Amino acid sequence: MSYREEKSRQLREAIVDAARAAAVSQGWAAVKMADVADAVGVSRQTVYNEFGNKAGVAEALTAREVSRFVDAVRAELLAHGGDIRAAGEAAILRTLTEAADNPLVKAILTGTEGDDGLLPYLTTRSELVLTTASAVVRDWASAHVPEAGADTVAAAAESIVRLVLSHVVLPSAPAEQTAAVLADTLVRLLR
C-alpha cells in the first residue's frame, strides 16, 4: 500500500470513528457532516470527497460494524469445528450478546429516526449484513457439513442469519435461550 493510500485509509477510518461516536451520542439523524469533519480536523468538503454524502458514511460505518460482528461469528464457528449445534449456539450467542452491548446498535434500535436513520441497514436495506454473514456461515457449513449440499447450506445460512438479525432487532427472550433454540433450528436446517 502506498503512502497516499495509507493516508486515505487512515482518514476514512477517522471519519467513520467520528461518525460512530456522534451516532452513539446523539443518534444518526442528528449527525451533521460538518460536526464529523470538525471532530476529525478536516473540512466538510473532505468528508464529502471521501464518502460522497451522509449515506456513504452510513454505509462505511455499517460495513465496519458488520465486519466486526462477522469476524466474531467466524471465530466462534471455527472454534467449534464440525459440532453444528455447539458452533451455531456459540456464534449466535456471541452475536446476540455483542449486539445488546454494542452502543451503536443500541443507538440504532432506540433511535427515533426517520428514513435517513441507520435502522434500515439492519432491516429493509440489510443486504450487506445478509450477504456477509451468510457467506461466513455458508463457508463454515460447506467445510463441516458437506453432505448437506450447496443449496441446503445456502438456504440454511441465509435463514439462520435472518432469524438472528430479527432477534437482534426485536429480542423475545434472553440471549442464551434464543441462541439454544436457534442452534437447534440450524441443526435441523443443515440435517
Side-chain angles (χ1 to χ4, degrees), residues 5 7-8 17 33 39 61 64 85 97 109 162 169 172:
E5 291 169 332
K7 293 308 269 180
S8 177
D17 287 342
M33 293 299 95
L61 176 56
R64 188 172 72 180
R85 190 178 188 300
T97 55
L109 296 177
R162 286 180 181 275
V169 173
S172 61

Side-chain angles (χ1 to χ4, degrees), residues 3-50:
Y3 176 78
R4 183 179 176 151
E5 291 169 332
E6 176 60 19
K7 293 308 269 180
S8 177
R9 186 196 64 75
Q10 289 174 355
L11 174 61
R12 290 177 68 83
E13 284 297 312
I15 291 168
V16 172
D17 287 342
R20 184 185 195 281
V24 167
S25 69
Q26 61 197 27
W28 186 251
V31 173
K32 304 290 184 250
M33 293 299 95
D35 296 337
V36 170
D38 288 345
V40 177
V42 298
S43 70
R44 185 177 66 139
Q45 188 59 48
T46 298
V47 174
Y48 284 109
N49 288 346
E50 289 295 322

Side-chain angles (χ1 to χ4, degrees), residues 43-145:
S43 70
R44 185 177 66 139
Q45 188 59 48
T46 298
V47 174
Y48 284 109
N49 288 346
E50 289 295 322
F51 292 99
N53 54 31
K54 188 175 177 182
V57 176
E59 289 170 12
L61 176 56
T62 303
R64 188 172 72 180
E65 291 297 313
V66 167
S67 178
R68 289 178 180 172
F69 274 92
V70 167
D71 288 347
V73 166
R74 181 181 295 111
E76 292 296 342
L77 291 172
L78 294 176
H80 292 85
D83 186 338
I84 299 169
R85 190 178 188 300
E89 186 169 6
I92 293 163
L93 180 59
R94 182 145 181 201
T95 301
L96 294 174
T97 55
E98 285 194 19
D101 293 338
N102 185 304
L104 180 60
V105 173
K106 286 179 185 177
I108 292 168
L109 296 177
T110 60
T112 57
E113 304 156 17
D115 291 340
D116 65 339
L118 293 174
L119 186 59
Y121 290 93
L122 292 178
T123 56
T124 58
R125 293 187 348 207
S126 62
E127 300 88 15
L128 175 66
V129 175
L130 289 172
T131 302
T132 308
S134 294
V136 168
V137 175
R138 200 171 46 250
D139 290 348
W140 166 80
S142 294
H144 294 286
V145 195

